[in-house]
Amino acid sequence: MARKQKQVSVKSGQEGLILFDSEDFKVLDLRVWLWQKDKKMELKLDKNRNFYFPKEKGEYLIEVDLRTDSGSAQYVGNIVIE
């Protein structure tokens, strides 16, 4: 499903940030993963939900796993690191 989405380009080592349009829920757990083929790596979030993309260039799938007091959701996307 993520591979069918429009590919978003980011720079090697670029900072990312997780934001929600409205946050009428309590975040219990939030994790960000990058997939490249069968390799999965977790991106560390700071307390403000900032993270950094890896320096290794290539095509990745991004997965955001969100668990809240209202339920859980998963977001996926298609990323190229240049």
Side-chain angles (χ1 to χ4, degrees):
M1 184 169 130
R3 291 204 189 280
K4 293 181 181 180
Q5 293 182 9
K6 182 179 176 182
Q7 198 170 56
V8 176
S9 296
V10 297
K11 293 188 186 293
S12 171
Q14 179 177 324
E15 184 178 21
L17 172 64
I18 303 290
L19 292 174
F20 301 105
D21 288 341
S22 67
E23 197 167 317
D24 55 349
F25 50 81
K26 180 179 178 184
V27 174
L28 302 175
D29 190 34
L30 178 62
R31 294 183 182 206
V32 179
W33 305 89
L34 281 185
W35 290 82
Q36 190 176 44
K37 297 182 183 176
D38 291 335
K39 182 181 170 188
K40 182 178 182 180
M41 69 180 94
E42 185 172 6
L43 301 180
K44 301 297 180 196
L45 294 170
D46 68 16
K47 65 180 181 175
N48 296 317
R49 300 184 188 150
N50 294 303
F51 64 91
Y52 290 92
F53 287 97
K55 296 186 190 270
E56 297 81 18
K57 297 178 181 182
E59 294 184 358
Y60 295 84
L61 299 179
I62 188 167
E63 173 187 341
V64 177
D65 293 324
L66 171 65
R67 192 169 57 89
T68 75
D69 61 344
S70 298
S72 55
Q74 183 180 61
Y75 303 92
V76 294
N78 191 357
I79 303 287
V80 63
I81 298 177
E82 301 176 335

